[in-house]
Amino acid sequence: MNWKNKLIGKALVLAMATALVGVAPSAWAGAYEEYQSISRILEEKPATAKEAVDRFEMRWARGTQSERTMAAYLRLRVSLYLTDYKSGLAAAKKLLDLHPERDQKVGLYKLCAQLSYQTEIWKDVLPYVTRWEETVGSDQKAGEPYAEMAALAAYALWQMNDAKASIPWMKKAFNASPKEERGTFLLAAWQKLDDEKAQLAFLPTMVKLYGRPMYWAQWGYLTYENGKPKKALDILSSADKAGRLPPKLYPLLVDLEMKEGAASKAVSILVNNPRLFEPMMYRNLLIAAYLKTGDREKALDASLALLKSQPDGMTGAARRMSEDTAARLAFAEEKWALAYEKTAALAERDQKDAKKADFWCFMAGVAAYEQKDWAAARAMFSRVSDKKLEKGAKAWIEQINFLAD
């Protein structure tokens, strides 16, 4: 993650630095007059002020405390204007060494923290933020200004690969001023630390405040992964009702409805949202949902539709399974013509597996018998050689011979 650009804007930093000057220090008139002259240049034509600041610094940087203070302030201001943050940081540090007043320290600590971050001196950010926090009044330890400083410490710690230490600071920031980016930071930090418990505790807050599909998804999926399928179903169902469930989680919702909820709801979700699923997955889930509700006829229709469509990605094994399911469902629904067609085809398909082929021949024989197609039934039963099925097949042939005579 890169939060470097989350710093307070340059204009605000510059305003803060300018305000630190306050009432001009009591100083020798020559230095003060020159200081005022350069200050006007900085306000009116700042791009032309650097050489004047350089000259002032060479002349007064080793003078009295007041003269050194003026030199450091001018250097700070021109550096910030020129986005020379390294030079600006050095000037701010000099000002801190010159024993500023408490209110000035507050601004300088804040500025040093920001500039340390901007110059990627990550290790110095937290100490400055800590000193700032210790110096400000209790009334300033709330709201967005406080949150910005606490977040800055968290960002710096993250840059130092210390996700664990960054969390308390970002929690302070979020509690002071809850912003989505701060919440996502916390989730990322907990994810990096594999702390699913913390994520699960915080995700309801993100859902409540922002309601984005990704937060619903994380909450529901993590709940499921942590062995709470019923609660996961409640979360995903709520997301679906709110129109916030990501498409990729609909298969999980359907699966949970079949296992933990109502299969009829699973059917409804599938029928109303066919485009949210891969074609083959859709048909397989629909077959399973219909079977769960006991509607074998619709399960058979879905199975036949799957075989007819031959969706992309349907492997040989998947097709064989679908053919088997269709045959069994046709048989269970007593659709004998279809059952015979399917089982006879499977008997040919599985010729290399004698046991399977015998099973399908037996089933095809029964289907033909139910249609009073004695010749086809006798032919199928005659092909059965499996010991477990052979006796039954002979009994069927005897019955056929009796009826056919």
Side-chain angles (χ1 to χ4, degrees), residues 340 343 360-370 376-377 380-381 396 400:
Y340 177 76
T343 52
W360 294 122
C361 284
F362 190 92
M363 297 287 280
V366 174
Y369 176 90
E370 293 293 340
M380 284 297 176
F381 284 128
W396 278 99
I400 290 167

Side-chain angles (χ1 to χ4, degrees), residues 86-161:
K86 185 175 180 181
S87 175
L89 177 59
K93 287 181 177 180
K94 285 182 181 179
L95 288 169
L96 279 172
D97 290 338
L98 291 168
H99 310 293
E101 299 295 325
R102 176 182 169 279
D103 289 345
Q104 293 175 328
K105 282 184 179 180
V106 170
L108 285 168
Y109 285 142
K110 184 173 186 177
L111 188 56
C112 284
Q114 292 173 316
L115 292 174
S116 294
Y117 189 92
Q118 190 66 42
T119 52
E120 300 185 4
I121 308 175
W122 315 122
K123 64 181 181 59
D124 287 351
V125 176
L126 181 58
Y128 283 123
V129 172
T130 302
R131 290 173 200 163
W132 173 86
E133 187 180 41
E134 293 170 348
T135 308
V136 296
S138 58
D139 59 322
Q140 296 183 54
K141 295 181 181 179
E144 183 60 20
Y146 178 77
E148 287 175 348
M149 289 300 288
L152 194 66
Y155 295 142
L157 288 163
W158 180 277
Q159 294 287 0
M160 295 168 67
N161 294 316

Side-chain angles (χ1 to χ4, degrees), residues 38 41-42 45-58 74-75 77-79 81-82 84 87:
I38 296 173
I41 297 173
L42 279 167
K45 297 180 180 180
T48 65
K50 184 177 182 302
E51 289 185 4
V53 172
D54 290 343
R55 289 194 298 270
F56 186 94
E57 196 170 40
M58 289 180 63
L74 290 174
R75 176 58 61 190
R77 291 174 64 187
V78 75
S79 296
Y81 178 82
L82 297 173
D84 184 353
S87 175

